[in-house]
Amino acid sequence: MQTDRREFLKLAGAAGAGVAALKSVGANDAAARSSAVNDAADAVFVTELFLDNEMIEVTPGVSRRLHPAKKHLLNPVVRCDRWCDGNILQPYTTMYDPEDRLFKMWARTGGDRESMYLDGHAAYMTYLTSTDGVHWDKPDLGVLEIDGRRDHNVVFNSDSAAATSAADSRSFVVPTRPMPPQGKKAFFWGVNKHPHPRDASERFVALAIVQNHRRGAHIVTSPDGIHWSCAGAPFWQTPNDVSGKGDDCLMHLMYDDAKQKWVIYRRIIPQFSERMLANDADCDRQAVDRYYRSYAYAESDDLREWENHRFILSMDPDDPPDTELYQFGCHKLGQTYVGYMSVFYLRTPQPINVHLATSRDGINFTRVCRGDPFIPHGALGYYDFMAMACSQPEPVLVDDTVYVYYAALNYPHNEDPDPGVGQCGAALATFGRDRYASLETSGVDRGPCRVVTKPFTVRHPKLFVNAATWSQGSIRVEALTRDWQPIDGFTEREARNIQGDALDHPVRWKGNADVSKLLGQEIRLKFYMTRARLHAMTLSDEDRSLGAVESDPEYGKPVDSTPTAN
């Protein structure tokens, strides 16, 4: 799809939609699969990203390969350079707002050392805007008076949270043990534009932590993303919150269109995961033998009543023993959830990498190319020795390039350097649309290289593949029956060669320019691949431009530069 360079598009809901494979399933899975099929049928297009094996039957001679995002040359794209910035600026939420035609960022700002406190505040939220996602403005908003000044972009802090607290009838546990003094801290994650606001005051919603009092997860709302009100009581208090035995402040919030629910992902420790709500007895809860960072899930229709709380994600026995899940956030591309796992290493010095995970339901996640970081940390002392993903409830697409923002720290987790040395800013990583990973032919296996899908029903007339070839390689596509028999008119012998590097190669046969004759039929697709990689396939109601891609030496293959018109 061609997009004017000045037209910045938010990729929300349709791109990346999953193609539903047909197989024997249980009752609950069958209901979910039926919903997925209906969603796919209603969509203008559906895309399979091949991040898991849900749609893959066999792949002889082919393996999955991760394609790490590219770090922007101007990184960090936002630095601490104002009197109110301290030495820490982390992009807790970034979005593109099509209504205002602006990129917007809400950043946790400040400093953990007392010398960096701003009027007693160690952490507070600032608001930034950009027209291109690379060059950012820090507008003087004058919302709060801090240290006798209003020439700053601070929009939320501990004092404002207390001052704007709305009446709330919910009870909560008052911690009896204070946390170690860290200055006043208040910040929020997962800013969303509310799809169905009850009134203008909640056009924007997010999840807040006010660490120095009333600990737990709070809902905050805003009419404009600048003036924020904090709920008078937390809706989620873990035993960890009220015992002061740890720090559960990392969260992510998004609205799931398919579920028609709000979903929250919150960092917890396994021992405190059985109950969503703490009670008074938890104030004296004993410390655990190891604080093992993990994640839990809950969902809500209205941001008031929460249900389906469960423990969902942590590192496991297939991971290195010195790793923990430091932070997690995800967004949806159609029916596919893409999760960004910030993996913390306990070795010395202690870095953080960003890894990928994927899910079909937003609860059960599969690792993508386990062990390979999607955003690898830099060298010690480099701007992103700790690279931590943050919240992007919806992915952002700019001219067929996906933008991912992350917190970049130049020092390890186990050190507290002088503020003049230790710096944290907002960094940007990018990658081509739908190009998280690929199914790539092997240079070792000299036999035929093939990818065969599980059977699915064709519901869109046009087929495209996001793919690349090198050294005059090719891809040919054959349609099979469920019983693996070639379908006349769509055989490998009749298939036109696909060559070159493009986001949307049209798939054609000598007698058929699309798959409209297969509408409503249950088929498999078989990809005959020679020196090629397959990132995604899309079934669409509409034609697409080729989306040719310039050769990228970072992928390690001298790709065929000019896609052939087949």
Side-chain angles (χ1 to χ4, degrees):
M1 296 177 291
Q2 294 295 324
T3 305
D4 185 272
R5 178 117 346 228
R6 295 182 179 272
E7 189 72 21
F8 299 105
L9 297 180
K10 161 182 80 168
L11 187 67
V19 180
L22 302 177
K23 63 180 182 181
S24 177
V25 293
N28 292 337
D29 288 340
R33 182 63 49 75
S34 174
S35 174
V37 169
N38 291 336
D39 290 345
D42 293 339
V44 175
F45 66 94
V46 291
T47 298
E48 173 57 36
L49 298 174
F50 298 117
L51 295 180
D52 59 17
N53 298 330
E54 180 77 9
M55 270 298 297
I56 299 171
E57 196 76 87
V58 293
T59 58
V62 173
S63 59
R64 184 178 288 114
R65 178 186 175 190
L66 191 73
H67 291 262
K70 296 181 185 177
K71 299 176 183 181
H72 200 280
L73 292 176
L74 296 181
N75 274 344
V77 294
V78 184
R79 303 167 188 258
C80 295
D81 55 13
R82 296 193 72 194
W83 69 271
C84 56
D85 284 347
N87 70 316
I88 296 175
L89 189 151
Q90 299 178 329
Y92 275 8
T93 305
T94 311
M95 69 162 64
Y96 178 73
D97 188 337
E99 185 177 353
D100 293 339
R101 299 177 64 84
L102 280 176
F103 290 84
K104 297 179 178 180
M105 179 185 295
W106 291 265
R108 181 271 200 206
T109 310
D112 287 336
R113 284 200 178 188
E114 188 171 356
S115 62
M116 301 301 292
Y117 293 174
L118 184 62
D119 209 10
H121 297 275
Y124 37 89
M125 296 302 296
T126 55
Y127 173 75
L128 301 84
T129 63
S130 172
T131 57
D132 63 5
V134 177
H135 304 88
W136 289 84
D137 296 320
K138 301 175 180 179
D140 288 335
L141 300 171
V143 174
L144 306 173
E145 182 172 314
I146 300 177
D147 205 23
R149 301 174 63 168
R150 289 184 179 270
D151 56 328
H152 57 74
N153 58 329
V154 179
V155 295
F156 185 77
N157 64 16
S158 179
D159 293 344
S160 63
T164 63
S165 296
D168 199 315
S169 60
R170 288 176 296 185
S171 61
F172 61 94
V173 178
V174 178
T176 56
R177 298 182 182 181
M179 294 181 68
Q182 293 180 308
K184 293 186 286 187
K185 288 188 174 183
F187 38 78
F188 49 74
W189 294 81
V191 179
N192 288 253
K193 292 193 77 172
H194 200 311
H196 312 293
R198 286 177 284 258
D199 56 61
S201 68
E202 61 174 25
R203 288 183 61 238
F204 293 83
V205 297
L207 299 172
I209 291 288
V210 185
Q211 238 177 17
N212 53 299
H213 61 85
R214 207 174 62 238
R215 293 195 295 271
H218 297 65
I219 296 294
V220 289
T221 58
S222 171
D224 54 12
I226 298 172
H227 300 83
W228 291 88
S229 297
C230 183
F235 69 90
W236 187 345
Q237 275 190 309
T238 69
N240 206 26
D241 289 323
V242 301
S243 66
K245 298 296 194 308
D247 178 4
D248 286 341
C249 65
L250 276 67
M251 303 180 289
H252 176 70
L253 176 72
M254 59 179 276
Y255 186 76
D256 192 319
D257 286 308
K259 297 177 182 177
Q260 292 289 291
K261 291 181 182 293
W262 292 94
V263 297
I264 176 176
Y265 300 87
R266 187 181 182 195
R267 196 171 81 182
I268 51 93
I269 58 175
Q271 296 91 331
F272 293 171
S273 65
E274 285 301 312
R275 289 181 285 111
M276 186 169 177
L277 298 177
N279 56 44
D280 289 328
D282 290 319
C283 290
D284 297 319
R285 187 112 172 203
Q286 295 300 307
V288 299
D289 56 354
R290 175 168 176 172
Y291 184 88
Y292 191 65
R293 298 167 177 89
S294 306
Y295 262 75
Y297 169 95
E299 58 190 33
S300 172
D301 294 322
D302 56 9
L303 294 172
R304 294 175 178 173
E305 301 298 325
W306 294 82
E307 59 186 5
N308 200 16
H309 167 245
R310 61 177 73 185
F311 177 87
I312 65 162
L313 193 60
S314 68
M315 310 306 284
D316 61 41
D318 291 324
D319 292 305
D322 66 338
T323 55
E324 294 184 4
L325 178 54
Y326 196 85
Q327 189 275 348
F328 178 78
C330 71
H331 45 225
K332 285 193 71 178
L333 294 95
Q335 294 162 317
T336 302
Y337 298 78
V338 178
Y340 301 84
M341 300 176 60
S342 298
V343 177
F344 171 52
Y345 297 82
L346 295 173
R347 65 200 63 167
T348 301
Q350 296 175 345
I352 295 177
N353 279 328
V354 180
H355 295 246
L356 280 187
T358 188
S359 173
R360 302 287 171 153
D361 62 7
I363 296 173
N364 299 286
F365 281 87
T366 301
R367 306 282 286 280
V368 180
C369 299
R370 182 190 293 267
D372 295 336
F374 185 62
I375 303 177
H377 70 82
L380 182 61
Y382 200 53
Y383 72 86
D384 63 352
F385 184 71
M386 284 198 289
M388 185 186 75
C390 295
S391 282
Q392 282 183 228
E394 294 179 345
V396 174
L397 183 70
V398 181
D399 291 342
D400 283 330
T401 298
V402 181
Y403 282 22
V404 175
Y405 297 87
Y406 65 100
L409 297 85
N410 68 351
Y411 55 91
H413 189 274
N414 58 319
E415 292 185 10
D416 181 23
D418 183 89
V421 176
Q423 292 288 316
C424 173
L428 170 63
T430 65
F431 57 98
R433 170 170 53 83
D434 298 337
R435 291 195 164 190
Y436 295 94
S438 68
L439 302 176
E440 186 171 297
T441 59
S442 169
V444 177
D445 186 341
R446 300 301 179 184
C449 298
R450 308 287 186 257
V451 172
V452 183
T453 71
K454 292 177 181 174
F456 64 94
T457 299
V458 179
R459 300 181 183 276
H460 300 78
K462 300 179 185 297
L463 175 62
F464 304 89
V465 293
N466 187 329
T469 66
W470 58 90
S471 301
Q472 300 304 304
S474 67
I475 298 174
R476 296 188 307 281
V477 184
E478 182 174 65
L480 307 175
T481 66
R482 184 185 185 102
D483 196 32
W484 296 71
Q485 299 305 302
I487 299 174
D488 287 343
F490 299 90
T491 65
E492 184 263 342
R493 179 173 49 81
E494 298 166 288
R496 297 192 179 276
N497 273 356
I498 293 170
Q499 289 186 304
D501 193 356
L503 301 175
D504 289 298
H505 292 279
V507 179
R508 295 169 177 160
W509 295 262
K510 291 178 180 178
N512 289 288
D514 55 31
V515 292
S516 57
K517 292 180 181 178
L518 301 177
L519 284 169
Q521 296 187 41
E522 185 183 358
I523 69 167
R524 300 176 186 269
L525 289 176
K526 183 175 182 179
F527 298 86
Y528 292 76
M529 301 172 63
T530 303
R531 295 182 296 282
R533 64 173 182 263
L534 173 65
H535 293 276
M537 70 175 187
T538 296
L539 287 154
S540 175
D541 290 339
E542 302 171 343
D543 284 320
R544 292 182 158 209
S545 60
L546 190 62
V549 177
E550 294 181 6
S551 179
D552 188 348
E554 287 191 24
Y555 284 154
K557 299 287 193 303
V559 297
D560 300 322
S561 58
T562 304
T564 58
N566 58 10

